[in-house]
């Protein structure tokens, strides 16, 4: 009796299952057969999903591609991120704030100008912009974006006046973590004019972070505390997804976040009546 050989199409389809066991097995098999799986997953990225199953296949598949460092997916991902905010909410959901930065960094193909252009798009969703800036920050730390190039970009970014508070918070994060002491005056200006909120970061945090970065620019801990890095384990990276209703074994000491299970489009628990993403999300 011959055993059934599972086709790569079946394995990719399994990424959209509601059963986490099926999803995990599908992810692991796709990684083992990544040369077959990657083109199929990229097709969902290029075509954009039209139904819920395809959206889940794409969301999970992106993390598979990220672990595999599939640089061919970088440009199609940037194109996907030009979609209207509501469309991105439907496709990526909380991935935008949970893992998108790591996905982008993992898929980076070396074209920093394409990344910078996506960050500076005036109609870019502010949380997508934050994820992109975070990716650029960790890529600069690792020398994949030249430090002078990133410094020049951050300086130009600060000269524009239409950014939201979340954008400024991500800019401050990049300046501090990378130790750009020459941008401190621009940070002071952002705080003094109210462009940058002091709810998340303040001058004391900036000074301490700048000092630490100058002493040890490659220290991983400050970046990890800000959720920056790469997708090294696709299964682990999806542990936040409430759809599967499973508890994965801890891979590291978790950070306590009482707002973690609140979706970006849920009502903010502070009682403002606004959506979480428009209210307290960047304080979480």
């Amino acid at each position: 009796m011959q055993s059934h050989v599972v086709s790569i199409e079946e394995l990719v389809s399994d990424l959209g299952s509601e059963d986490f066991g099926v999803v995990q097995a599908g992810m692991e098999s796709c990684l083992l057969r990544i040369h077959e799986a990657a083109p199929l997953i990229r097709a969902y990225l290029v075509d954009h999903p039209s139904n819920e199953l395809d959206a889940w296949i794409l969301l999970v598949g992106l993390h598979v591609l990220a672990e595999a460092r599939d640089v061919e997916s970088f440009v199609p991902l940037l194109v996907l991120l030009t979609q209207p905010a509501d469309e991105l909410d439907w496709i990526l959901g909380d991935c935008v704030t949970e893992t998108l930065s790591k996905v982008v960094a993992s898929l980076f193909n070396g074209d920093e100008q394409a990344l910078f252009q996506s960050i500076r798009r005036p109609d870019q969703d502010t949380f997508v912009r934050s994820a992109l800036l975070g990716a650029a920050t960790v890529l600069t730390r690792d020398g994949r974006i030249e430090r002078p190039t990133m410094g020049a970009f951050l300086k130009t970014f600060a000269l524009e006046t239409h950014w939201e508070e979340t954008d400024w918070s991500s800019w401050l994060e990049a300046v501090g973590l990378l130790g750009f002491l020459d941008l401190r005056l621009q940070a002071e200006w952002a705080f003094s004019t109210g462009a940058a909120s002091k709810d998340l970061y303040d001058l004391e945090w900036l000074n301490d972070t700048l000092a630490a970065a100058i002493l040890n620019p490659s220290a991983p801990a400050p970046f990890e505390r800000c959720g920056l890095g790469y997708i090294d384990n696709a299964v682990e990276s999806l542990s936040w997804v409430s759809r599967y209703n499973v508890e994965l074994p801890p891979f590291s000491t978790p950070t306590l976040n009482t707002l973690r299970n609140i979706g970006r489009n849920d009502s903010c628990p502070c009682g403002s009546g606004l959506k979480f993403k428009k209210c307290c999300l960047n304080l979480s």
Side-chain angles (χ1 to χ4, degrees):
M1 181 177 178
Q2 291 185 338
S3 59
H4 173 64
V5 177
V6 181
S7 70
I8 193 63
E9 289 81 7
E10 290 177 281
L11 292 174
V12 171
S13 180
D14 284 347
L15 302 182
S17 173
E18 294 185 22
D19 183 329
F20 187 73
V22 173
V23 173
Q24 182 172 356
M27 294 173 78
E28 292 169 349
S29 297
C30 283
L31 284 163
L32 289 172
R33 299 170 62 179
I34 192 62
H35 295 298
E36 299 173 82
L40 297 179
I41 299 172
R42 282 199 300 269
Y44 287 90
L45 183 58
V46 171
D47 295 338
H48 301 175
S50 57
N51 57 65
E52 186 176 359
L53 175 62
D54 288 354
W56 277 106
I57 292 173
L58 174 56
L59 176 65
V60 176
L62 271 175
H63 293 75
V64 171
L65 295 173
E67 181 180 337
R69 303 296 189 264
D70 184 66
V71 296
E72 290 185 51
S73 299
F74 181 67
V75 171
L77 175 58
L78 294 186
V79 172
L80 176 70
L81 296 178
T82 65
Q83 298 301 301
D86 288 347
E87 181 76 6
L88 287 178
D89 273 341
W90 179 72
I91 296 172
L92 298 179
D94 290 343
C95 169
V96 171
T97 50
E98 292 286 347
T99 54
L100 180 59
S101 178
K102 292 182 177 181
V103 169
V104 173
S106 299
L107 298 178
F108 182 62
N109 68 355
D111 187 354
E112 70 271 3
Q113 293 306 319
L115 179 56
F116 291 161
Q117 183 178 4
S118 188
I119 293 170
R120 293 182 64 184
R121 281 185 56 243
D123 59 343
Q124 184 65 274
D125 177 81
T126 186
F127 295 106
V128 171
R129 181 179 291 112
S130 178
L132 294 171
L133 258 173
T137 300
V138 78
L139 290 166
T140 302
R141 178 200 67 183
D142 294 339
R144 300 179 65 197
I145 294 177
E146 295 291 334
R147 184 177 173 84
T149 302
M150 182 63 166
F153 170 74
L154 291 173
K155 186 173 183 178
T156 302
F157 185 96
L159 295 175
E160 301 179 31
T161 59
H162 56 272
W163 305 122
E164 298 183 26
E165 286 184 359
T166 303
D167 304 325
W168 279 108
S169 294
S170 301
W171 181 87
L172 288 165
E173 197 171 81
V175 169
L177 291 173
L178 295 172
F180 281 116
L181 191 60
D182 56 322
L183 294 177
R184 188 181 182 282
L185 287 177
Q186 286 175 288
E188 289 182 353
W189 171 86
F191 282 126
S192 66
T193 60
S197 170
K198 296 180 181 179
D199 291 335
L200 188 59
Y201 300 125
D202 56 20
L203 273 177
E204 181 180 1
W205 175 90
L206 181 63
N207 290 333
D208 290 346
T209 306
L210 283 168
I214 291 168
L215 287 173
N216 191 355
S218 60
F223 292 82
E224 291 169 358
R225 284 196 293 269
C226 292
L228 303 181
Y230 302 93
I231 300 293
D232 294 321
N233 185 309
V235 174
E236 174 192 349
S237 71
L238 291 173
S239 61
W240 54 272
V241 179
S242 60
R243 181 189 202 217
Y244 304 126
N245 194 30
V246 296
E247 289 291 337
L248 294 181
F251 290 81
S252 59
T253 302
T255 299
L256 180 61
N257 182 353
T258 57
L259 302 178
R260 184 178 181 85
N261 294 320
I262 302 171
R264 295 171 72 234
N265 289 311
D266 292 344
S267 297
C268 189
C270 75
S272 66
L274 299 173
K275 288 186 177 181
F276 186 42
K277 68 180 180 180
K278 293 295 186 182
C279 194
C280 294
L281 175 58
N282 56 312
L283 302 181
S284 66

